[in-house]
Amino acid sequence: MDESAGIYLNDRVVPLAQARVSVLDHGFLYGDGVYETMRVYGGVVFMMEEHLARLENSASLIELRLPKSPRQMKLAIYETLEACGHKDAYLRVTVSRGEGPIGLDPELCPRPTFFVYAGRLTPPSRDYYEEGITLAVANTRRNLREALDPQIKSLNFLNNIRAKIEAKKAGAHEALMLNHRGHLAEGTTSNIFFVSEGALLTPGPECGILRGITRDTVLAMARRMDMKVVEGEFTEEDLLGSSEAFITSTIMEVVPVSRLIGAPSHTHTGIRDFHGVGDITKALMAEYRKEVFSYVQNTRAAGPSIWGFTE
Ligand code: PMP
């Protein structure tokens, strides 16, 4: 437990011991809610606007009306950060349907619960970046878009948790899920990229993925760097035959993959070992760091108005 974490619940910052949510909260009872995870660098929330826009989108896809405007959410976020003892922090904004009688009807809950957590950031170890991670293709498939659209970053993460359990059993750091058609989709909390014949490939939104903010940043960087980029439908064999692979997420940034393990139930099961971190991955890792650095500099230079205090 991070005792120095900052917590904002509904309308104010509260001490950890007083941060309590009802057992009748539908977020707890049914996983009815949405959230965002952000990374804070030197007191600046990276891509805050983009994360708040995605939160709004997730909420609208489950017809949940956010209880705060973007400006009010920014104020709450910075108040929480001030209450937290860290400048480099992990930040999570959670909105659940709120407290209400038992039953699925959202109208049973008049007031959504709004919760911000800012705490110690535990970034992956340096080995991840220097040596790469092991990625295992899971038997658990990514949710069908027509059932629970992966674009909804919801409080119901069982699909990804099942895949994570498989990855751990396979001795891997992260699982990669295929969609119902057998095409590559995404990791449990990350997006996948790989390199084939010099081109940078990644599953497109039509594959049923969460459009990662890091993914979008990497795609924009790669295009700027004149790389050939293809978003589309790819198979496990495409990945096993690639020359480089990496995953992306807000917390982990760009992490090279050093070993790929094919899904145990598939006939073409295989292991692909990469030798060292590939050149394209290295270039994108370096560029991402620069991107973060300039974002932090520009946000600081723009002053508090961009943070929502003086609007
Ligand atoms: N896919 C899933 C399912 C995730 O939970 C995450 C983490 N938010 C990602 C991809 C990566 O998204 P981002 O780059 O916005 O963190």
Side-chain angles (χ1 to χ4, degrees):
M1 194 105 68
D2 178 5
E3 299 297 336
S4 55
I7 292 172
Y8 187 106
L9 186 58
N10 293 322
D11 54 2
R12 67 204 158 91
V13 168
V14 291
L16 184 62
Q18 285 168 34
R20 294 285 178 265
V21 174
S22 166
V23 291
L24 291 181
D25 194 292
H26 283 209
F28 176 64
L29 290 176
Y30 304 116
D32 188 354
V34 292
Y35 79 100
E36 274 299 315
T37 299
M38 305 177 212
R39 182 162 168 172
V40 185
Y41 297 86
V44 172
V45 184
F46 186 58
M47 300 274 182
M48 179 162 57
E49 300 283 343
E50 288 77 0
H51 281 283
L52 291 179
R54 192 169 68 184
L55 184 73
E56 179 72 55
N57 185 52
S58 294
S60 79
L61 289 169
I62 61 163
E63 302 198 16
L64 170 64
R65 212 167 63 81
L66 293 180
K68 290 189 192 302
S69 67
R71 180 175 185 275
Q72 287 170 326
M73 286 195 283
K74 285 182 206 167
L75 285 169
I77 286 171
Y78 276 103
E79 227 184 286
T80 316
L81 275 175
E82 236 168 77
C84 131
H86 312 287
K87 286 266 175 248
D88 293 311
Y90 166 96
L91 187 106
R92 176 175 158 135
V93 178
T94 306
V95 186
S96 80
R97 194 74 67 177
E99 188 184 13
I102 301 277
L104 300 189
D105 185 353
E107 284 181 17
L108 293 168
C109 309
R111 228 171 321 111
T113 302
F114 176 82
F115 160 54
V116 184
Y117 173 95
R120 182 176 297 116
L121 178 79
T122 359
S125 82
R126 282 176 68 129
D127 297 353
Y128 279 42
Y129 302 97
E130 287 166 9
E131 283 155 33
I133 59 155
T134 299
L135 184 68
V137 179
N139 282 327
T140 304
R141 296 287 169 109
R142 190 65 176 112
N143 279 333
L144 190 63
R145 277 163 88 199
E146 292 77 8
L148 181 58
D149 190 344
Q151 292 285 9
I152 306 169
K153 197 163 162 58
S154 86
L155 296 184
N156 193 318
F157 245 57
L158 277 176
N159 178 211
N160 313 40
I161 290 166
R162 285 194 59 206
K164 182 79 187 180
I165 291 169
E166 283 190 56
K168 282 191 80 175
K169 284 186 181 157
H173 301 89
E174 171 66 310
L176 182 68
M177 288 179 280
L178 309 178
N179 65 17
H180 69 292
R181 297 179 59 198
H183 292 131
L184 305 179
E186 62 180 339
T188 64
T189 55
S190 61
N191 291 112
I192 176 82
F193 285 84
F194 59 105
V195 177
S196 211
E197 291 169 14
L200 184 66
L201 314 176
T202 193
E206 71 280 6
C207 298
I209 57 167
L210 179 76
R211 269 188 62 172
I213 288 163
T214 321
R215 175 186 180 277
D216 279 352
T217 306
V218 166
L219 284 174
M221 280 169 11
R223 290 189 173 114
R224 230 173 35 222
M225 292 160 86
D226 284 332
M227 289 182 188
K228 182 167 186 248
V229 177
V230 184
E231 291 182 70
E233 290 185 326
F234 303 104
T235 63
E236 193 178 340
E237 286 103 323
D238 293 333
L239 182 60
L240 286 164
S242 65
S243 54
E244 300 180 30
F246 61 87
I247 59 167
T248 61
S249 89
T250 295
I251 298 298
M252 294 186 286
E253 304 178 332
V254 176
V255 182
V257 173
S258 56
R259 167 170 273 202
L260 272 167
I261 306 175
S265 71
H266 298 169
T267 46
H268 47 266
T269 293
I271 290 188
R272 168 87 174 85
D273 278 318
F274 297 98
H275 301 289
V277 180
D279 289 344
I280 291 182
T281 308
K282 266 192 198 148
L284 289 167
M285 286 167 75
E287 192 64 22
Y288 189 82
R289 294 252 105 215
K290 277 197 220 155
E291 188 81 16
V292 170
F293 184 77
S294 64
Y295 182 95
V296 170
Q297 297 295 103
N298 293 342
T299 306
R300 288 211 183 111
S305 68
I306 203 166
W307 302 342
F309 290 114
T310 58
E311 282 166 18

